[in-house]
Amino acid sequence: MDLMLPRLNALRDSADEEKAAGAQRRYLTGLSGVGVSVNGGADGLGVGVSVNGALKVDAKALGMGVSAKSDADMLNMGVIDSAGSAHVVMSSQDKVIVGYWLVRAALNVALSRGANKNKLLRGTGIFEDALQHHSLLSTKQYSSLLVNVQSQARGGDVSFLLGGAFASQWLSSPLNALNACENVEQLLLQLTQRQTYRWCSLPLCQFQRFENADQIMLVPQFTGVSRKQLQFSIEVAFASIVALMKSIANKRIRLSFSFTESRPRNIADYETHLGLKLSFNRPFNSICIEKDVLRQPLELTAESNCSAESNISLEGVVRNSATQTKDGASIELQNRLSLPDFVRRYVYASSNTQAANIGLPELAETLDVSVATLKRKLKEYGTSYRALCEEVQRNHALLLLSVHKVSNETAANAMGINDLPNFRRTVKRLTGKTPSELRI
């Protein structure tokens, strides 16, 4: 990735402007949170690209949809060239989650742990007798359901059971299409990076992917999840990924996990559902997988014992229940990206430009809404532009200093910070530690 910038400059100087634009989009896409390769150089650690002095950060460049290719080298994905802001889920009340199987799994787990069904659905706007295979839920509805499950179901392992329950229904849900994956890399790509599968497996979680020479690191980022609900949601997401990969691959995939929290009392639950490769008090919540594991072929689960529901395809669900916006426009689910996730990608892509006036007004213009509307929509999700900016900056600083242990000069340049004193103050404010302390 760090070799792309000179090539961009050469293309820009050539008469072939179309090639230059295409190269720019590919470079920016690879660095905008879909997949980031860190090779140690300042360019490789940077994000964003400036063309003719102006930042090009538009909706199309930020990955509204992901084209999944089967080639082994395609974990850095291409981006579907879609009409930008039309594919951002602007409201937490927009119905984009393929929720039938998720709701059934949540109810089954919670009821088995002593929850009351009426209380579980209270305030969610979900009615069990109205649930159909093509039913769509909003982020607000689904988040409310998980809050109720967390508060009412008894036991420290409820989050892990919930993740496993979501995964157990994969063959009878739209996820059955994942049976076509040929190796671990393809499966991981589909589960953690494609928006299509996000909306029927982990709708509140989007993974940001980083890589170095030896491994892939997946850092979860959540939408519509409160601080109180965060650890529970992390456990659900991690357990679901483990169980899904095991069920689809028909074997346990070697993964390791890190948590920012201290070692929990119920460590046995973590080991039972996630495995033994666990670390706590770490800079990131993350899933790590060695690159040699990615190349392993899959021994796919036989479909002979599938229920009649297993014939339901994701394409069929999308076609029969396309999301309706407030003006009645039909939008395909595979191109939808939640507003907080879009903001994160925008901030990350623009962080290395060192250009002035890249902020909330420019983002609102990109999305074709007013600044006031954008603030209100983010507030619906329980967040703000400033909070998302600080989250992105914090993760970027931790990646550079704690994981890759680069110098202050390299890290500051990658983060778009002009002077080292300001860089040190920023890192201390975001992480509570100095750059030197983070490298330990």
Side-chain angles (χ1 to χ4, degrees):
M1 189 70 71
D2 54 332
L3 299 177
M4 283 294 292
L5 205 53
R7 183 167 177 262
L8 282 174
N9 292 330
L11 283 171
R12 198 178 303 125
D13 293 336
S14 74
D16 194 344
E17 295 181 356
E18 183 177 352
K19 285 185 179 180
Q24 176 209 340
R25 285 196 298 273
R26 288 191 296 275
Y27 180 77
L28 181 56
T29 298
L31 292 175
S32 62
V34 178
V36 178
S37 177
V38 180
N39 297 316
D43 291 335
L45 293 169
V47 290
V49 60
S50 179
V51 181
N52 297 328
L55 176 67
K56 298 293 184 181
V57 182
D58 59 22
K60 287 189 280 189
L62 289 170
M64 293 303 92
V66 182
S67 60
K69 298 185 180 180
S70 59
D71 296 12
D73 62 350
M74 281 305 297
L75 210 55
N76 280 324
M77 299 152 293
V79 174
I80 296 173
D81 201 14
S82 308
S85 60
H87 296 287
V88 179
V89 182
M90 293 296 293
S91 173
S92 64
Q93 300 183 52
D94 287 343
K95 294 190 175 182
V96 291
I97 299 172
V98 185
Y100 175 83
W101 295 271
L102 297 175
V103 173
R104 297 306 314 168
L107 291 178
N108 290 340
V109 169
L111 293 175
S112 71
R113 289 305 182 90
N116 179 285
K117 182 182 294 187
N118 294 329
K119 292 182 178 180
L120 283 173
L121 296 178
R122 184 176 297 167
T124 65
I126 300 171
F127 302 96
E128 187 180 13
D129 57 359
L131 276 178
Q132 303 294 327
H133 294 153
H134 61 269
S135 296
L136 296 179
L137 306 177
S138 68
T139 299
K140 184 176 181 179
Q141 286 178 302
Y142 186 65
S143 180
S144 297
L145 176 62
L146 292 191
V147 168
N148 291 348
V149 170
Q150 183 182 4
S151 65
Q152 295 184 45
R154 296 190 296 268
D157 61 347
V158 170
S159 56
F160 299 109
L161 294 177
L162 198 56
F166 293 158
S168 68
Q169 302 190 56
W170 79 275
L171 269 176
S172 59
S173 81
L175 291 174
N176 72 79
L178 294 174
N179 230 353
C181 294
E182 297 178 357
N183 55 39
V184 174
E185 183 175 28
Q186 288 183 28
L187 178 56
L188 189 69
L189 167 67
Q190 301 285 350
L191 284 177
T192 63
Q193 303 288 272
R194 279 202 78 183
Q195 300 302 317
T196 303
Y197 296 105
R198 178 253 185 99
W199 296 118
C200 58
S201 58
L202 293 171
L204 304 184
C205 180
Q206 176 69 41
F207 286 94
Q208 187 174 20
R209 188 184 67 85
F210 302 98
E211 71 172 89
N212 58 25
D214 302 315
Q215 65 180 7
I216 302 296
M217 175 187 290
L218 299 170
V219 178
Q221 298 174 320
F222 291 91
T223 293
V225 172
S226 67
R227 183 177 296 274
K228 183 178 179 181
Q229 194 185 1
L230 181 59
Q231 186 60 27
F232 182 87
S233 299
I234 291 169
E235 293 165 4
V236 170
F238 286 4
S240 184
I241 291 294
V242 169
L244 273 168
M245 294 189 74
K246 181 179 179 181
S247 296
I248 296 170
N250 206 23
K251 61 181 178 181
R252 189 72 175 256
I253 305 298
R254 191 170 75 244
L255 302 171
S256 59
F257 301 87
S258 66
F259 298 89
T260 58
E261 297 291 321
S262 302
R263 181 183 173 91
R265 293 181 179 179
N266 62 327
I267 186 64
D269 293 327
Y270 283 74
E271 293 173 345
T272 298
H273 296 278
L274 302 182
L276 299 178
K277 300 187 72 174
L278 307 168
S279 57
F280 300 92
N281 293 312
R282 305 301 299 168
F284 286 107
N285 296 295
S286 68
I287 303 174
C288 290
I289 182 168
E290 301 298 324
K291 286 190 173 179
D292 64 320
V293 176
L294 293 175
R295 295 185 287 270
Q296 294 179 4
L298 300 183
E299 301 172 8
L300 296 175
T301 305
E303 298 186 53
S304 57
N305 296 324
C306 300
S307 69
E309 294 177 344
S310 64
N311 293 322
I312 299 169
S313 68
L314 183 56
E315 290 73 18
V317 172
V318 171
R319 183 172 59 252
N320 294 329
S321 56
T323 303
Q324 297 293 318
T325 61
K326 288 184 177 180
D327 59 3
S330 178
I331 297 176
E332 292 184 346
L333 293 179
Q334 60 261 38
N335 290 335
R336 304 305 299 269
L337 188 73
S338 76
L339 177 59
D341 288 323
F342 181 88
V343 174
R344 290 183 181 107
R345 294 188 182 193
Y346 175 91
V347 172
Y348 193 82
S350 62
S351 64
N352 191 47
T353 64
Q354 298 184 355
N357 300 320
I358 301 302
L360 189 60
E362 289 70 33
L363 174 58
E365 183 179 356
T366 296
L367 292 170
D368 196 25
V369 298
S370 68
V371 171
T373 296
L374 180 55
K375 287 181 177 179
R376 185 175 69 254
K377 293 297 184 181
L378 286 172
K379 188 175 181 180
E380 284 183 16
Y381 284 102
T383 188
S384 66
Y385 181 72
R386 179 176 179 178
L388 292 170
C389 285
E390 291 186 346
E391 178 190 350
V392 169
Q393 287 181 311
R394 179 180 183 276
N395 285 347
H396 199 185
L398 289 171
L399 175 78
L400 295 169
L401 298 169
S402 293
V403 178
H404 297 288
K405 303 185 185 302
V406 301
S407 67
N408 284 2
E409 291 80 1
T410 300
N413 183 62
M415 293 177 66
I417 299 176
N418 293 320
D419 62 277
L420 292 182
N422 185 32
F423 167 75
R424 285 190 285 267
R425 285 194 299 270
T426 300
V427 171
K428 179 70 173 179
R429 176 176 59 82
L430 292 171
T431 70
K433 295 183 179 181
T434 66
S436 298
E437 290 171 336
L438 288 174
R439 290 192 193 91
I440 297 176

